[in-house]
Amino acid sequence: MNSSETQDDFSNIVDYVRDTGKAYWTEGFSFYLYGLIKMIKPKMIVEFGTGYGTTCFLAAQACKENNFGKVISIDDGSDWNENYKYQDFLSEKISEYRLSSFLNIENYKINFDNLTSLNHLDEVNIVFNDIDCSPYYFFAILKWLIPRTKTASYFIIDRGATYWPNYCAMELSIEQLNSGKIPKVLYDIIDNKPQFQELIKRFKFSTQYVLKTVNQGSDQDSFAILKIEDCNVGYF
């Protein structure tokens, strides 16, 4: 594919993002994620909650421009209210934007008690949870993600900065994790506890909270980022 075609695809996706972004207030975040992918060139991005594809299409476009990486987006289509089939719509868009080599959309209801459908992934660099920001989902995904972090990963949670239970779960966990300790609510759901304990010691954890400029009263008014990275020299 030549650079002109890639630019055309980018322009078309941007138009689509601007048309659909207000459905879940994800337009600005989609560009944020696009820029992050362009910079860090991740191998694997996993999105829980596809919606209209606003985020994953632009994320996959970033992978295409990098000529590296892949997006896996999972959604059972239960919130889809249009008159045509969810899977058909998404497949047509992937073909239209020429993203098939960089994006897989999987149509099923994700079970956060058992993420074995994704256990074949040996390295994950970015996870975006756009399904639910409750602490249960935070800890269930964190349990799955940490063993798949090689040197660094970003765990992004929609609404995670302003939904008080999630904010507290993240803030109360950071100090313990950075001390090499596992919060009890996380410890209780881990299968191989000694192995996980050793993994925790390898990493340092940091958070960032971002507020969106959206209509007052919107429940999609922020996102939170948990960064997991190798301990640097001099970090204890």
Side-chain angles (χ1 to χ4, degrees):
M1 182 181 300
N2 60 45
S3 59
S4 176
E5 289 176 325
T6 300
Q7 184 61 43
D8 288 344
D9 291 339
F10 174 77
S11 298
N12 291 334
I13 294 171
V14 166
D15 289 342
Y16 179 80
V17 167
R18 288 173 174 160
D19 286 341
T20 61
K22 288 185 174 57
Y24 297 105
W25 296 103
T26 53
E27 177 183 348
F29 173 77
S30 298
F31 289 108
Y32 171 92
L33 186 58
Y34 169 84
L36 179 64
I37 293 168
K38 288 283 289 183
M39 287 188 293
I40 70 171
K41 295 180 171 59
K43 175 182 178 181
M44 183 60 62
I45 304 100
V46 177
E47 177 187 49
F48 298 116
T50 308
Y52 284 91
T54 304
T55 299
C56 68
F57 292 152
L58 197 52
Q61 175 66 21
C63 291
K64 183 167 71 172
E65 292 173 15
N66 288 340
N67 197 29
F68 182 77
K70 191 153 194 172
V71 179
I72 295 178
S73 186
I74 302 166
D75 198 315
D76 65 353
S78 58
D79 292 333
W80 185 249
N81 297 316
E82 307 295 343
N83 294 325
Y84 35 87
K85 289 185 178 179
Y86 187 53
Q87 288 176 288
D88 292 346
F89 167 78
L90 294 173
S91 295
E92 288 172 6
K93 286 295 179 185
I94 290 172
S95 177
E96 177 185 347
Y97 300 142
R98 292 179 279 223
L99 296 173
S100 59
S101 297
F102 301 93
L103 173 60
N104 284 350
I105 296 181
E106 302 183 2
N107 185 233
Y108 64 91
K109 184 176 179 61
I110 193 74
N111 176 11
F112 287 96
D113 291 320
N114 186 352
L115 289 170
T116 54
S117 62
L118 295 172
N119 278 353
H120 62 286
L121 302 179
D122 62 351
E123 180 178 354
V124 178
N125 311 107
I126 298 174
V127 172
F128 176 40
N129 177 17
D130 197 20
I131 291 181
D132 193 303
C133 56
S134 70
Y136 166 75
Y137 287 81
F138 169 70
F139 287 114
I141 296 171
L142 188 62
K143 166 197 168 184
W144 173 83
L145 174 61
I146 287 176
R148 289 164 179 79
T149 298
K150 299 303 182 184
T151 57
S153 62
Y154 295 78
F155 180 10
I156 306 171
I157 305 159
D158 194 42
R159 201 191 168 197
T162 48
Y163 182 62
W164 184 245
N166 181 82
Y167 175 83
C168 291
M170 293 182 69
E171 284 296 297
L172 293 172
S173 298
I174 288 299
E175 184 176 355
Q176 293 185 58
L177 291 168
N178 280 328
S179 299
K181 301 175 182 177
I182 304 173
K184 186 177 185 305
V185 66
L186 177 59
Y187 186 86
D188 288 344
I189 62 173
I190 295 168
D191 298 320
N192 190 333
K193 293 175 173 55
Q195 180 189 51
F196 203 91
Q197 185 71 64
E198 290 303 311
L199 284 171
I200 290 296
K201 295 176 183 177
R202 281 184 46 209
F203 300 117
K204 67 173 181 176
F205 301 81
S206 57
T207 55
Q208 182 180 14
Y209 303 103
V210 180
L211 300 180
K212 303 177 186 177
T213 303
V214 298
N215 287 349
Q216 187 174 5
S218 170
D219 62 358
Q220 309 285 332
D221 57 355
S222 70
F223 60 93
I225 306 163
L226 175 67
K227 185 177 182 183
I228 308 167
E229 58 188 323
D230 278 340
C231 289
N232 295 326
V233 175
Y235 183 88
F236 298 96

